[in-house]
Amino acid sequence: MSNPVADAARKHPPPEGHVYTYGTAGFRTKADVLDSVLTRVGLIAALRSRKLGGRYVGVMITASHNPPQDNGVKLVEPMGDMLEESWEAISTEMANQTSPEAVSEYYQCVAEEQKIDLSKPANVIVARDTRASGARLLGCLVDGLKAAGAEYRDFGFLTTPQLHYMVRCFNTADTPDAYGVPTEAGYYEKFSAAFKKAMGSNKPNGGLTVDCANGVGGPKLNELIKYLHVTETGLEISVVNDNVVKPEALNVDCGADYVKTNQRAPPTSKTGPGDRCCSLDGDADRVVYYFKDDQNVFRLLDGDRIATLVASFFGDLVRTSGLADQIKIGVVQTAYANGAATDYVEKNLRLPVTCTPTGVKYLHHAAQKLDIGVYFEANGHGTAIFSHSTLNAIKNYKPKSPSEAENLEILRACIDLINQAVGDALSDFLLVEVVLAHKRWGPQEWLATYTDLPNRLLKVLVSDRTIFKTTDAERKLTSPEGVQGQIDKEVQKFRQGRSFARASGTEDAVRVYAEAATKAEAEDLARKVAEIVK
Ligand code: 16G
Ligand code: ZN
């Protein structure tokens, strides 16, 4: 009897002895060991769609900010969320099946356990970033999708958030919650129109330089710019590091991760003091801002800064449109958020802060519990999301004055400007531009809102990172025993000291973060804690 699932698995055998894990950002590793994983992900995507009654699910082939020789794949739920947790485990188990027969058996077994009717339709939307290995991996994925009898649409190159957008559009088409037109042009039209509305009559102060990490964000931003009409909006964008013809240049000496990790502008940067710059990562779901001050010193405006800027703007808008008693705003951060940012949100903006473990899905879930949830990781992943009842309140509110009406219009435009499906670097930087223009702020005024505590991040190589278990949103270690006690003792010796250690979800290492009153103390504390966990 023919067995297309086993045949597809046979065509793409796994390398011997490799163990795969569906981690915080899907499967991610060296591209040359991923063929078998992609085929199996094709099978899982088909199962997941069938489990959800044939709704569209997404598959994105990308390794984000990682080096050019890496690649990865992640699954996207119908509304654009990250894959449900129980299916991460299913995906991991599927990826680690070695023989073709075992793959086919596991496929049947998932169908049975999940009560999935394999004769029902499955719909999958696929896209990839610009890595050289992408085309080959796409082929492997398609073999899996075809073997499982899924209908699929391949969108070619997209940013990760564009793929999330497409998935949500397809699933909400012809419903009252229709998210947009599921085409690339639809994406540009939606976000550029919202940007113009949200800007109102305000004009940005000077141009913006966007570093695209030589990734897929480059060509996509160049496309978006055509819709933004600089003559209308006044936003002059210069795109740099948008070379996707040379895939080996991806994320090399440029991009959001380079800027955040090295705390410096890409070496190719030619901007002058006070010029606004931002950097995207390789799949354009992260953004950080920066500029040179008048002393030519590099100044970073990271995810924490974007969160505080956006939260304060929404706070103002909700108040000035007359909705303050109906809508509460909250900010979601991780342990990596600078202590000064947390303080600023709680004490100056007077908004509640929730702390979650690292990884977009945790922040997103916490933000879903709020009326307006602003969530950003310090590294620039994030967005703001609005609950259903908040959207309704904003939609139905009858303004009581012309000024309320005006602010309500801006608030409504901002909702459209924010990619509700997932954090989106393109939509995020447009939002930042809107806020700065409304506040008539340059980067210096933005920076002046609070002063970051000096901090240091270290990567510690350990023999087994899995023994490092945490609690309290990764801020405390529960294992190995006694280690947290030693860290606490060290921290106490430092002025404004705070430190934590956690196992990385993407690399074989433990990360140590420390902050303190001065740079020297932060470095010293980080080194001491690194010694403890070593
Ligand atoms: C992944 C996460 C990112 C997180 C990073 C932490 C997503 C889409 N990506 O890239 O949010 O900051 O992992 O890496 O969730 P680490 O565990 O190695 O520190
Ligand atoms: Zn990314």
Side-chain angles (χ1 to χ4, degrees):
M1 217 172 69
S2 84
N3 183 342
V5 169
D7 292 345
R10 189 169 298 114
K11 192 168 157 197
H12 304 290
E16 221 162 282
H18 204 98
V19 179
Y20 300 96
T21 313
Y22 195 102
T24 23
F27 295 107
R28 198 178 286 181
T29 179
K30 297 280 161 272
D32 51 11
V33 295
L34 274 171
D35 291 29
S36 63
V37 172
L38 268 287
T39 306
R40 287 151 173 79
V41 165
L43 302 173
I44 292 291
L47 287 167
R48 183 71 186 139
S49 170
R50 288 192 174 108
K51 170 78 187 173
L52 299 168
R55 298 184 86 199
Y56 291 84
V57 299
V59 179
M60 181 71 198
I61 304 174
T62 179
S64 186
H65 62 277
N66 292 128
Q69 62 277 16
D70 290 12
N71 215 327
V73 60
K74 57 185 165 192
L75 287 150
V76 176
E77 294 275 326
M79 290 307 276
D81 301 17
M82 308 281 167
L83 183 65
E84 199 205 273
E85 217 154 308
S86 62
W87 279 73
E88 291 183 359
I90 294 175
S91 302
T92 295
E93 202 161 336
M94 178 61 104
N96 290 308
Q97 302 296 333
T98 46
S99 76
E101 294 72 26
V103 170
S104 163
E105 258 166 49
Y106 188 63
Y107 177 77
Q108 294 293 339
C109 157
V110 174
E112 235 162 77
E113 272 176 11
Q114 299 279 336
K115 303 194 175 43
I116 294 168
D117 183 345
L118 290 174
S119 67
K120 288 276 164 62
N123 291 295
V124 182
I125 294 165
V126 181
R128 61 187 157 108
D129 71 15
T130 50
R131 283 160 203 273
S133 56
R136 189 191 80 238
L137 294 176
L138 173 68
C140 303
L141 172 71
V142 166
D143 282 341
L145 291 169
K146 283 185 178 159
E151 291 285 332
Y152 71 94
R153 285 170 205 250
D154 171 20
F155 273 87
F157 300 113
L158 288 183
T159 68
T160 294
Q162 283 180 322
L163 183 268
H164 286 247
Y165 165 90
M166 298 301 171
V167 173
R168 187 158 171 151
C169 288
F170 272 106
N171 286 303
T172 54
D174 305 321
T175 74
D177 295 326
Y179 191 58
V181 180
T183 60
E184 250 192 89
Y187 172 94
Y188 301 124
E189 270 156 16
K190 175 174 171 138
F191 292 102
S192 58
F195 175 69
K196 289 174 197 168
K197 259 202 186 147
M199 272 296 206
S201 56
N202 298 282
K203 290 277 175 278
N205 179 6
L208 171 71
T209 300
V210 186
D211 153 28
C212 297
N214 291 321
V216 65
K220 302 308 177 188
L221 174 56
N222 282 316
E223 204 49 43
L224 173 64
I225 288 173
K226 296 181 192 157
Y227 293 76
L228 288 172
H229 302 126
V230 56
T231 46
E232 224 177 291
T233 59
L235 180 60
E236 192 93 51
I237 299 177
S238 17
V239 181
V240 297
N241 299 322
D242 59 342
N243 183 354
V244 290
V245 180
K246 237 175 83 188
E248 66 275 20
L250 175 69
N251 296 322
V252 175
D253 289 343
C254 60
D257 200 58
Y258 175 90
V259 171
K260 171 76 182 156
T261 314
N262 297 292
Q263 311 250 341
R264 73 160 80 113
T268 51
S269 173
K270 293 193 181 64
T271 54
D275 290 344
R276 293 194 308 289
C277 308
C278 69
S279 286
L280 321 181
D281 72 340
D283 62 341
D285 61 354
R286 263 169 82 171
V287 60
V288 293
Y289 267 71
Y290 49 96
F291 69 106
K292 273 191 233 152
D293 67 14
D294 18 357
Q295 257 84 58
N296 245 340
V297 176
F298 170 84
R299 300 291 190 164
L300 180 66
L301 295 154
D302 62 4
D304 294 345
R305 296 279 180 175
I306 299 176
T308 52
L309 183 76
V310 167
S312 94
F313 185 59
F314 283 148
D316 293 346
L317 277 182
V318 163
R319 200 162 15 82
T320 51
S321 12
L323 283 158
D325 47 0
Q326 292 186 53
I327 298 172
K328 300 285 169 247
I329 303 172
V331 173
V332 184
Q333 303 179 324
T334 70
Y336 288 109
N338 196 279
T342 312
D343 234 41
Y344 176 75
V345 176
E346 289 179 337
K347 304 213 172 102
N348 292 62
L349 302 180
R350 295 174 183 283
L351 298 175
V353 175
T354 317
C355 185
T356 73
T358 304
V360 170
K361 64 180 178 198
Y362 299 110
L363 289 105
H364 189 89
H365 286 155
Q368 278 174 329
K369 299 195 182 106
L370 302 162
D371 296 343
I372 299 180
V374 179
Y375 72 85
F376 273 90
E377 291 188 310
N379 64 21
H381 266 134
T383 187
I385 54 175
F386 297 74
S387 74
H388 226 268
S389 62
T390 304
L391 289 174
N392 279 335
I394 294 173
K395 195 164 130 199
N396 300 327
Y397 184 71
K398 300 271 179 300
K400 297 189 181 61
S401 68
S403 132
E404 276 196 9
E406 200 181 306
N407 289 304
L408 192 64
E409 270 317 292
I410 296 164
L411 184 58
R412 287 177 180 155
C414 285
I415 294 174
D416 285 337
L417 178 57
I418 297 168
N419 190 338
Q420 299 281 303
V422 76
D424 181 333
L426 299 180
S427 121
D428 284 346
F429 90 65
L430 289 178
L431 179 65
V432 168
E433 290 300 310
V434 164
V435 181
L436 293 177
H438 275 269
K439 288 185 182 278
R440 303 209 181 344
W441 277 5
Q444 189 61 55
E445 286 79 15
W446 182 8
L447 184 75
T449 48
Y450 63 86
T451 308
D452 270 320
L453 279 171
N455 58 88
R456 178 75 186 172
L457 185 64
L458 289 178
K459 186 162 99 178
V460 187
L461 299 178
V462 295
S463 53
D464 181 10
R465 75 176 149 141
T466 61
I467 59 169
F468 290 85
K469 302 225 181 335
T470 59
T471 179
D472 191 20
E474 301 181 326
R475 289 174 290 193
K476 294 224 158 345
L477 283 168
T478 52
S479 145
E481 233 191 287
V483 171
Q484 186 59 46
Q486 293 178 50
I487 295 178
D488 291 342
K489 240 183 174 168
E490 238 4 279
V491 168
Q492 273 177 13
K493 298 180 192 157
F494 289 81
R495 291 178 301 148
Q496 292 178 280
R498 182 172 75 90
S499 181
F500 64 90
R502 58 174 277 276
S504 158
T506 62
E507 274 185 278
D508 198 7
V510 167
R511 298 199 200 285
V512 168
Y513 175 89
E515 61 187 34
T518 62
K519 186 95 204 133
E521 285 169 277
E523 305 220 338
D524 193 21
L525 177 56
R527 264 195 310 272
K528 297 246 163 67
V529 174
E531 274 309 313
I532 296 173
V533 299
K534 223 179 242 169

